[in-house]
Amino acid sequence: MASRAVRRYDPDRRRRIIDAAIRVVGAKGIAGLSHRTVAAEADVPLGSTTYHFTTLDELLVAALRQANAAFAETVAASPALADAAGDLAGALARLLGEVFEADRGRVELEYELYLAALRRPALRPVAAEWCEAVVLALAGRTDPVTARALVAVMDGICLQVLLTDAPYDEAYAREILARVLRAP
């Protein structure tokens, strides 16, 4: 009579799998992501990854959603953005600088996941959620159209920094963001 393996209750397994997927994408890019590589990174059986995420797109959606939540929380929690009389362009430029300074690799990873939506339609709603979350965080400081323009400019600045390996220039970012805020 064969003994049956005892199944452990593991409420954090799904989260560990998502965290592992983020680490795999960070180390190997999306091309290196597979259920097998994630299972090995998470130290879980392969069946656990396919149980929680039937497809890689489902896993990427969860990873992007988790990355989005972290950035949106950073924006929403920024005391500088809460100051209605403060310099919004300066606050946003400073915030971007802090994000780059804290973990540039994490920013690269988040944009890799974000840009994967170009080829993976399942990720597009999550990318749109990220934009909406940041627009909502800016809602108390500006109108929705200007908030969307600010998000687009911040994306552009981040992509330029990441793609050119240029250092982040807070003064430049502040000037460009201020121009958007001054636009008629």
Side-chain angles (χ1 to χ4, degrees):
M1 179 178 222
S3 66
R4 300 184 75 176
V6 177
R7 179 175 262 169
R8 292 181 305 139
Y9 176 66
D10 187 356
D12 295 326
R13 184 170 289 193
R14 186 176 196 282
R15 173 67 180 233
R16 286 199 338 265
I17 291 169
I18 295 168
D19 291 342
I22 289 171
R23 288 191 303 274
V24 168
V25 172
K28 301 177 181 180
I30 289 178
L33 185 74
S34 69
H35 281 100
R36 193 170 305 283
T37 59
V38 172
E41 179 67 27
D43 195 26
V44 299
L46 177 60
S48 288
T49 63
T50 57
Y51 172 80
H52 289 285
F53 304 98
T54 307
T55 67
L56 287 180
D57 277 354
E58 287 177 13
L59 183 53
L60 284 169
V61 163
L64 180 56
R65 191 164 273 135
Q66 184 170 306
N68 287 352
F71 184 76
E73 288 169 13
T74 299
V75 172
S78 172
L81 295 180
D83 179 8
D87 172 21
L88 181 57
L92 292 172
R94 205 168 22 265
L95 180 65
L96 288 180
E98 290 167 1
V99 169
F100 271 110
E101 187 177 307
D103 191 353
R104 185 183 176 114
R106 181 73 180 200
V107 178
E108 289 174 4
L109 165 72
E110 290 169 0
Y111 271 94
E112 182 164 1
L113 289 168
Y114 183 60
L115 292 172
L118 291 170
R119 300 267 183 226
R120 294 178 179 260
L123 295 175
R124 291 179 187 159
V126 184
E129 287 171 14
W130 177 84
C131 292
E132 288 305 311
V134 179
V135 166
L136 283 173
L138 298 174
R141 296 294 308 275
T142 189
D143 65 275
V145 172
T146 303
R148 286 184 202 294
L150 290 169
V151 170
V153 169
M154 290 187 298
D155 272 343
I157 290 169
C158 289
L159 284 170
Q160 285 178 354
V161 169
L162 293 171
L163 295 174
T164 63
D165 269 341
Y168 175 72
D169 183 343
E170 187 175 314
Y172 167 77
R174 189 207 169 284
E175 176 60 29
I176 299 304
L177 293 164
R179 289 181 185 195
V180 170
L181 289 164
R182 284 192 306 262

